């Protein structure tokens, strides 16, 4: 599965690079600028911001799903733990402190990894977003904007929030639809014969 997914990622990335390069050169031509090579396009804010604006949102989606899934429940969802009351023994185990920082980091390593990746991609989205914005300003013969000004501008936040709302909408739909719908032989679905009220048993 990982080989297929990473292969699809590369196909889409190459397709984005080529189609973005062609579209960018049309913009340059319209602004009476010289066209650039594909290699030079890969170093533009137009290309890099397009990557990281989507990456940060997709990583946020998984970070939220993993982190919230460890403390919240959704009755009937296959990826939620059961909603029955937790026993005293289980609660004591869940709340017990790890003996070392290394154990704590490992116990929470998956969510921490996605949170760190989200922070990194969010920062890069801001940097390359400013780069792209100033490239567009140059094409229109308008003044550039500083990073601090861009990070607080509506131009930046509209791109961020339109990505975030799409990710939260998608994962919310998945959680709700997975209660009632099935996909035979998929680990992302409850068994076909399972009742709607049945939750998964992951991390039980």
């Amino acid at each position: 599965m990982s080989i297929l997914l990473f292969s699809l990622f590369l196909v889409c990335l190459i397709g984005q690079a080529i189609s973005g390069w062609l579209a960018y050169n049309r913009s340059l031509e319209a602004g009476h600028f010289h066209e650039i090579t594909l290699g030079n396009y890969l170093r533009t804010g137009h290309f890099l911001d397009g990557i990281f604006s989507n990456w940060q949102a997709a990583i946020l989606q998984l970070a939220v799903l993993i982190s919230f899934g460890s403390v919240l429940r959704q009755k009937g969802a296959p990826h939620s733990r059961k909603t029955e009351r937790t026993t005293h023994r289980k609660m004591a185990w869940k709340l017990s402190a790890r003996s070392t920082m290394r154990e704590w980091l490992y116990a929470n390593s998956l969510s921490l990894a996605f949170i760190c990746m989200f922070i990194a991609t969010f920062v890069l989205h801001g940097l390359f977003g400013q780069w792209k914005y100033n490239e567009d300003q140059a094409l229109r013969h308008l003044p550039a904007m500083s990073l601090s000004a861009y990070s607080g501008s509506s131009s930046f936040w509209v791109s961020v929030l339109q990505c975030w709302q799409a990710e939260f909408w998608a994962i919310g739909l998945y959680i709700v639809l997975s209660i009632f719908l099935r996909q035979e032989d998929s680990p992302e679905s409850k068994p076909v014969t399972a009742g709607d009220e049945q939750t998964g048993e992951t991390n039980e």
Side-chain angles (χ1 to χ4, degrees):
M1 185 180 288
S2 61
I3 293 173
L4 175 61
L5 290 174
F6 284 121
S7 297
L8 290 172
F9 162 74
L10 289 175
V11 169
C12 293
L13 184 63
I14 293 170
Q16 177 192 347
I18 295 173
S19 58
W21 171 53
L22 296 174
Y24 190 69
N25 275 335
R26 285 199 299 270
S27 298
L28 291 176
E29 184 180 0
H32 305 289
F33 291 93
H34 294 294
E35 294 185 356
I36 62 174
T37 64
L38 177 60
N40 286 331
Y41 172 72
L42 298 180
R43 297 191 292 271
T44 64
H46 187 274
F47 174 69
L48 295 171
D49 177 63
I51 289 177
F52 288 102
S53 64
N54 289 295
W55 284 12
Q56 57 91 18
I59 291 172
L60 173 64
Q61 179 194 86
L62 292 174
V64 167
L65 182 62
I66 293 167
S67 301
F68 287 6
S70 67
V71 294
L72 301 178
R73 306 289 186 272
Q74 176 59 56
K75 188 173 183 179
H79 282 290
S80 172
R81 292 181 300 195
K82 292 185 182 299
T83 55
E84 285 86 348
R85 181 174 298 177
T86 305
T87 64
H88 175 74
R89 180 177 180 182
K90 285 185 178 181
M91 182 62 72
W93 178 82
K94 293 178 186 304
L95 297 180
S96 61
R98 299 289 174 176
S99 59
T100 65
M101 177 60 72
R102 181 177 180 180
E103 289 182 357
W104 183 88
L105 289 172
Y106 181 72
N108 299 279
S109 56
L110 186 59
S111 60
L112 289 173
F114 275 93
I115 290 170
C116 290
M117 285 189 291
F118 166 71
I119 293 172
T121 52
F122 182 79
V123 171
L124 289 171
H125 171 46
L127 291 172
F128 293 128
Q130 181 224 6
W131 191 351
K132 177 186 177 183
Y133 179 85
N134 286 337
E135 287 175 350
D136 293 339
Q137 289 291 90
L139 292 176
R140 297 181 177 91
H141 307 284
L142 297 174
M145 183 182 290
S146 67
L147 179 60
S148 59
Y150 176 74
S151 62
S153 69
S154 58
S155 297
F156 172 64
W157 284 104
V158 70
S159 69
V160 169
L161 294 174
Q162 71 182 4
C163 289
W164 288 5
Q165 56 88 10
E167 299 298 338
F168 290 137
W169 172 250
I171 199 65
L173 282 177
Y174 165 69
I175 292 297
V176 173
L177 291 178
S178 67
I179 298 172
F180 308 104
L181 305 180
R182 306 289 186 271
Q183 180 57 57
E184 191 169 25
D185 296 329
S186 173
E188 305 304 315
S189 168
K190 290 181 290 191
V192 174
T193 57
D196 291 344
E197 299 299 313
Q198 180 179 329
T199 59
E201 298 184 359
T202 303
N203 293 328
E204 197 61 43

